Amino acid sequence: QDWDPTQMHLEVNYRCPSKILNSVIPSINKNVDRFPKDLRSSREGGDLRHGYFGNQAAMSTALLEGVVEDQQANHSVVVLCRVNSDGFLPALALAKRGIKFSLSSDRMTFDSVLGRLALAIPSLLTRTSGLKVSTALKDLVYFNERSQVDMLLRRCKANGQHFWELDPEDLAHSVPELSRHLFAIMKGISDVPEMEAVRFLYDYYIQQYAGSNNSYAESAMGILSAVRGLLDMGAYSDLQEFQTELEDL
């Protein structure tokens, strides 16, 4: 009111041709909080293909086939994602196929806070202490409760024990908030094959973020779901093979 501002509508989309843009406008219009405007493309045409996939792995496989097809036709290819973290699994799929590409954000790499978490989670099955174990466990509790993790790992290191081997009552008393997660994880991974235990771990972490409505949680779910999808894409004989491929990627 003080400055009498003028509202300018950014209605021309320069990224997508008309057939692509027009197909998603009905979905965009369902956002009742957006400023009303008439979106239009800067150019006509486009080849619209769409599909339904049961999981991220199937989606990335289909996307990869499309990229290879376009490359063979000497086309330049850009993969657009709703948010940067949604590009994580396509990036992994391209890397596995040996296709060179560049990234617009480090949120699609393991060189980030969430990327390092994704790498750290399997260590809960193989290590008793260390940075990766600490990273994975601290993600399960609030910031002011992370001293519980440090205390637990110091004790395990001093006693030469794995935290899965500690007395449940002792755990519940000494690290109450963390123990709630440890008990749930122990129940999920008991008496199952190694790779099923890894899948359960990723599913558990994804579920912890599912109820949070913020951009960090959305990115976390995207990256963790991507690595979970990688498990479904590859026929890994054991956990070591899977971890080695993660490190290589």
Side-chain angles (χ1 to χ4, degrees):
Q1 291 179 341
D2 293 340
W3 300 96
D4 191 24
T6 299
Q7 189 177 88
M8 305 292 291
H9 294 291
L10 303 178
E11 297 180 325
V12 180
N13 184 297
Y14 294 94
R15 175 177 285 174
C16 301
S18 59
K19 287 185 180 180
I20 307 295
L21 179 64
N22 292 342
S23 69
V24 298
I25 284 178
S27 177
I28 294 173
N29 288 340
K30 289 184 180 294
N31 181 2
V32 296
D33 295 324
R34 64 188 287 267
F35 288 113
K37 54 185 177 182
D38 297 319
L39 292 174
R40 62 187 185 277
S41 176
S42 63
R43 63 191 189 281
E44 296 298 316
D47 180 16
L48 175 65
R49 288 181 287 179
H50 54 81
Y52 174 82
F53 305 98
N55 53 55
Q56 278 198 322
M59 178 193 68
S60 290
T61 299
L63 175 64
L64 182 60
E65 292 171 354
V67 169
V68 171
E69 179 184 326
D70 282 348
Q71 278 196 323
Q72 291 174 343
N74 294 319
H75 294 156
S76 296
V77 181
V78 177
V79 179
L80 302 177
C81 304
R82 186 174 62 89
V83 294
N84 285 331
S85 55
D86 284 347
F88 199 82
L89 186 54
L92 291 178
L94 292 170
K96 275 177 66 71
R97 190 68 170 265
I99 297 174
K100 294 182 179 181
F101 59 93
S102 60
L103 297 170
S104 63
S105 168
D106 65 1
R107 291 191 179 187
M108 286 179 278
T109 75
F110 285 124
D111 189 21
S112 62
V113 171
L114 290 172
R116 286 187 285 274
L117 170 63
L119 283 174
I121 288 173
S123 67
L124 295 181
L125 299 175
T126 60
R127 301 184 182 186
T128 59
S129 61
L131 181 60
K132 287 188 175 181
V133 174
S134 177
T135 297
L137 292 179
K138 285 182 177 180
D139 192 74
L140 292 172
V141 295
Y142 291 112
F143 186 82
N144 62 346
E145 297 164 338
R146 291 182 176 179
S147 59
Q148 294 183 20
V149 174
D150 296 327
M151 179 178 66
L152 175 67
L153 295 183
R154 282 196 300 269
R155 177 180 171 185
C156 289
K157 186 175 183 179
N159 297 339
Q161 287 180 293
H162 199 290
F163 42 85
W164 302 127
E165 302 170 341
L166 298 177
D167 178 69
E169 290 188 9
D170 192 10
L171 270 178
H173 175 73
S174 57
V175 287
E177 183 58 28
L178 179 61
S179 68
R180 178 175 66 84
H181 294 287
L182 293 179
F183 294 152
I185 291 173
M186 280 191 280
K187 183 178 179 181
I189 66 176
S190 297
D191 302 320
V192 299
E194 184 179 56
M195 296 310 296
E196 287 303 313
V198 180
R199 290 183 176 90
F200 176 85
L201 277 175
Y202 280 107
D203 288 341
Y204 187 85
Y205 275 79
I206 291 167
Q207 189 60 38
Q208 301 314 300
Y209 283 104
S212 301
N213 186 23
N214 58 67
S215 60
Y216 184 84
E218 189 173 44
S219 294
M221 289 178 62
I223 289 179
L224 296 177
S225 296
V227 179
R228 175 64 174 82
L230 189 64
L231 281 166
D232 294 330
M233 291 176 65
Y236 302 101
S237 59
D238 54 36
L239 177 55
Q240 183 177 355
E241 182 183 357
F242 173 65
Q243 288 181 297
T244 298
E245 177 152 300
L246 284 185
E247 295 288 351
D248 289 344
L249 291 173

